Amino acid sequence: MAVGDVVLGANQYGKAEVRLVRVTRDTPVHEIADLTVTTQLRGDFEACHTTGDNAHVVATDTQKNTVYAFAKQHGVGSPEQFLLRLARHFVDGFAQVTGGRFAADVHAWDRIAVDGEPHDHAFVRAGRETRRAVVLVDGDDVQVVSGFTGATVLKSTGSEFTGFPRDAYTTLAETTDRVLATSVTAWWRWQDPDVDVEARYPVVRDLLLTTFAQVHSLALQHTIFEMGRAVLEACDDVAEVRLSCPNKHHLLVDLAPFGLDNPNEVFHAADRPYGLIEAEVRREGDPPVPHVWAAVPGFV
Ligand SMILES: O=c1[nH]c(=O)c2[nH]c(=O)[nH]c2[nH]1
């Protein structure tokens, strides 16, 4: 090689940000592990870069499949253990792989508390939601609207979606047991602007989340209506509720090509596209207040 020739320097490659959700459902008390995993292999990949010879290239798709298959076969455990197992697999299994970088972000979930007890299969992402408030004044008309955004919740069972029409473009399978997850944005308008909001905000928030946990969901639409209904039935001081909920799809990974079954245990947590389910829930006969909702963000 002559001085001045172009050569390949440091390189690594792999699959970035594999969104893995592993549900352990051996007992009615489910556990969830939620990770974003990145694998990057290092080794003898010169020929691929310089001549297009892929004989050494462990496809990034294979790396992704390995993440999901290992989650099924071995569980996740600590992220360090999980990454070490992956690393050993690639380094020991492929002569051209001499090392790599393996990384994971762990997304923590708490159990939703229902009547003070941790729920078996309903979870809320650790970290609080963002509380929001809007006050609208027009002369003597004073309106107070409270709400929150970013309360991410998940049920690992107790959710189905069946009975929808099928046409030439329908491929979605009906399911009587799926993961249901969403990030709740909720707004509610108080009857009286002088409400003791510090006392009442947590009551409404908890009702929304415990109803998510407890309703056996027939669709996200059904769940959010029940969440709004629970608030209106329990809280005379709330005039109406609006909910905006992305359906954070958890797609069952097909592990059959690797000889593994997958009875609702290993999921790809897709970030987009997502269903966006929005509804207003109010008492029949109450006059609508479009000027108030025009001033509140985030509802189509
Ligand atoms: O709860 C759901 N509602 C839908 O409208 C819908 N559409 C879809 O594809 N999956 C779901 N899930």
Side-chain angles (χ1 to χ4, degrees):
M1 203 173 288
V3 174
D5 277 355
V6 174
V7 296
L8 177 68
N11 63 90
Q12 59 183 5
Y13 80 101
K15 197 65 108 188
E17 300 189 34
V18 177
R19 291 288 295 110
L20 163 68
V21 171
R22 169 66 153 100
V23 179
T24 304
R25 40 192 298 152
D26 306 340
T27 75
V29 182
H30 291 186
E31 307 283 341
I32 54 173
D34 183 345
L35 281 76
T36 301
V37 179
T38 296
T39 59
Q40 288 166 293
L41 305 185
R42 298 173 182 164
D44 178 9
F45 302 109
E46 170 102 21
C48 169
H49 290 89
T50 59
T51 71
D53 176 355
N54 293 332
H56 280 189
V57 180
V58 181
T60 66
D61 192 63
T62 305
Q63 296 180 40
K64 174 203 71 186
N65 289 343
T66 309
V67 169
Y68 287 126
F70 274 28
K72 164 65 183 165
Q73 286 176 292
H74 311 290
V76 172
S78 71
E80 290 82 359
Q81 282 170 341
F82 189 65
L83 297 177
L84 278 168
R85 187 175 290 120
L86 285 166
R88 288 198 186 103
H89 167 80
F90 290 114
V91 173
D92 295 350
F94 297 92
Q96 70 274 28
V97 179
T98 55
R101 174 183 181 273
F102 303 85
D105 289 350
V106 178
H107 311 293
W109 294 86
D110 298 325
R111 291 181 190 278
I112 294 177
V114 177
D115 299 329
E117 293 296 319
H119 198 274
D120 283 355
H121 59 254
F123 304 85
V124 57
R125 258 286 179 66
R128 303 296 289 192
E129 72 278 4
T130 302
R131 182 171 159 181
R132 287 178 161 173
V134 172
V135 167
L136 200 62
V137 179
D138 182 12
D140 291 340
D141 181 27
V142 179
Q143 300 280 351
V144 175
V145 181
S146 299
F148 59 83
T149 190
T152 302
V153 289
L154 179 150
K155 278 166 77 92
S156 52
T157 190
S159 163
E160 46 186 285
F161 188 60
T162 66
F164 48 89
R166 308 200 74 84
D167 72 1
Y169 306 107
T170 306
T171 58
L172 186 69
E174 301 202 348
T175 174
T176 56
D177 191 4
R178 66 174 182 173
V179 167
L180 180 67
T182 184
S183 176
V184 179
T185 295
W187 289 105
W188 56 94
R189 183 170 62 87
W190 301 102
Q191 304 275 20
D192 179 348
D194 293 326
V195 59
D196 179 2
V197 77
E198 284 310 292
R200 300 295 292 154
Y201 171 89
V203 171
V204 176
R205 173 203 179 267
D206 288 354
L207 267 171
L208 290 167
L209 297 195
T210 57
T211 305
F212 173 86
Q214 288 181 291
V215 166
H216 181 92
S217 177
L218 301 178
L220 186 51
Q221 290 91 327
H222 171 234
T223 291
I224 71 172
F225 179 76
E226 290 299 323
M227 291 163 71
R229 187 219 292 270
V231 171
L232 292 185
E233 286 184 349
C235 305
D236 289 346
D237 51 358
V238 174
E240 55 185 322
V241 181
R242 282 192 168 203
L243 291 151
S244 176
C245 292
N247 192 350
K248 297 169 84 74
H249 302 297
H250 283 59
L251 309 176
L252 198 63
V253 179
D254 180 10
L255 300 176
F258 325 124
L260 299 170
D261 64 349
N262 188 6
N264 275 345
E265 291 179 329
V266 179
F267 296 89
H268 164 59
D271 66 343
R272 64 189 73 169
Y274 52 87
L276 182 57
I277 313 296
E278 303 183 304
E280 174 185 85
V281 188
R282 56 190 176 81
R283 295 187 184 85
E284 195 174 6
D286 277 1
V289 286
H291 69 290
V292 177
W293 293 114
V296 174
F299 190 87
V300 179

